[in-house]
Amino acid sequence: MEFIKYQVDNQVALLTIDRPKALNALSAAVLEELNTAIDNIDLNDARVLIITGGGDKSFVAGADIGEMKDMNVEQAEAHGKLGNDIFRKIETLPIPVIAAINGFALGGGNELAMSCDIRLCSENALFGQPEVGLGITPGFGGTQRLPRVIGSMSKAKELLYVGGNIKADEAYRIGLVSAVYPLEELMPQAMKMAQKIAANAPFAVRACKKAIDDGINTTIDEAIVIEEKAFGSCFATEDQVEGMSAFMEKRKEKNFQNK
Ligand code: CAA
């Protein structure tokens, strides 16, 4: 692949969007490669995925403006669907996805980050949905995920209507990211978090993700039943026996097999 680098080390997968000449902007070719890379993730091997941007300046500077400039209505709608389908695939990937945001996360870049489960960023990160200044709306989920992610319709609408950028500390303050690190510490910290997640029972982690995501879109009465089913399903796994046996035996080392 030309624009996507992918590796798995110790059950942690790292996907890098690498198009430095355009600050990792999402051209159609980048999106197609991203789609293929996500489809090819071996969920028996990878327990967590980290997504980051190549270089030290940008996570993703948005969808490729040059490519979109001359699109007609049908082409733009299809382009939006292409991005939305891939980002939804990332959002519903069975394993947790951490966005390690190492610079610009603008437009489609912020939308990609918001499709991930957890967002960590570097001090030089810059966030925004500048689309209205380009004469368009966000097209890869920004109008829908921003209010959901930050839980404030007022702030989300402000960001979407004004189209300005916010720095890392403000992104942290409004809950868009969970933590801010100096740039050189971002990847080690993302790896550390990923390794902690990977050390837990994979079935339980994945059931947690599914219960959270399925439950959030329904009533609390339906949601707690979703949790009951998730909780119950863990008791059919060898990893539940291993986790609880380790506790009873006062044993620190656990050998979770994703079974
Ligand atoms: N699309 C295409 N090319 C882009 C790009 C983008 N989104 N962002 C940056 N680039 C290119 C620039 O055109 C430039 O290329 P050249 O060297 O060939 O001129 C190169 O990347 C470097 O960019 P700059 O020289 O502009 O770098 P800078 O440090 O001065 O500024 C920046 C960085 C503030 C991110 C600026 O590049 C910028 O504003 N980029 C556009 C950000 C944006 O508007 N994103 C939203 C896109 S629309 C969208 O994403 C819609 C959607 O929801 C699907």
Side-chain angles (χ1 to χ4, degrees), residues 6-240:
Y6 181 78
Q7 64 185 74
V8 185
D9 193 13
N10 232 346
Q11 296 165 329
V12 175
L14 175 63
L15 187 155
T16 306
I17 297 172
D18 198 21
R19 192 190 171 210
K21 274 198 304 201
L23 301 177
N24 307 324
L26 300 171
S27 62
V30 175
L31 286 170
E32 294 294 354
E33 285 192 13
L34 179 60
N35 193 29
T36 305
I38 297 295
D39 281 345
N40 288 341
I41 292 174
D42 178 354
L43 298 171
N44 292 317
D45 189 17
R47 293 185 178 186
V48 188
L49 170 66
I50 298 174
I51 299 182
T52 194
D56 55 10
K57 202 176 161 189
S58 185
F59 175 66
V60 165
D64 191 299
I65 300 169
E67 274 188 4
M68 292 185 295
K69 192 170 83 47
D70 297 321
M71 282 182 180
N72 62 29
V73 171
E74 288 73 26
Q75 288 165 331
E77 214 173 292
H79 194 59
K81 180 166 167 44
L82 173 69
N84 272 336
D85 286 352
I86 300 168
F87 288 12
R88 185 77 183 125
K89 216 181 260 186
I90 292 170
E91 190 170 45
T92 58
L93 203 66
I95 57 175
V97 185
I98 300 171
I101 303 155
N102 55 325
F104 299 117
L106 302 174
N110 191 42
E111 292 168 306
L112 172 61
M114 290 192 296
S115 307
C116 300
D117 293 282
I118 298 169
R119 282 159 295 285
L120 308 177
C121 79
S122 53
E123 287 168 345
N124 65 324
L126 198 68
F127 299 82
Q129 297 289 160
E131 284 89 347
V132 288
L134 293 165
I136 58 173
T137 67
F140 296 164
T143 57
Q144 304 310 309
R145 289 198 181 90
L146 189 57
R148 285 169 166 84
V149 164
I150 65 174
S152 161
M153 194 58 94
S154 172
K155 192 71 197 175
K157 285 184 170 174
E158 178 196 324
L159 288 167
L160 289 159
Y161 300 163
V162 173
N165 297 332
I166 57 169
K167 293 183 176 169
D169 55 351
E170 174 73 349
Y172 176 71
R173 199 186 64 75
I174 66 170
L176 184 56
V177 298
S178 310
V180 183
Y181 300 106
L183 181 60
E184 64 279 10
E185 279 177 34
L186 175 65
M187 282 318 292
Q189 290 289 348
M191 282 289 173
K192 203 166 146 189
M193 179 181 284
Q195 278 155 5
K196 281 186 187 168
I197 295 171
N200 288 325
F203 183 91
V205 171
R206 294 171 198 195
C208 255
K209 172 166 175 170
K210 194 157 170 21
I212 295 164
D213 291 343
D214 289 353
I216 206 81
N217 293 317
T218 186
T219 64
I220 186 68
D221 288 313
E222 285 170 356
I224 53 174
V225 175
I226 290 172
E227 187 187 83
E228 285 157 19
K229 299 282 177 212
F231 180 64
S233 68
C234 295
F235 287 75
T237 66
E238 291 177 22
D239 286 347
Q240 175 265 331

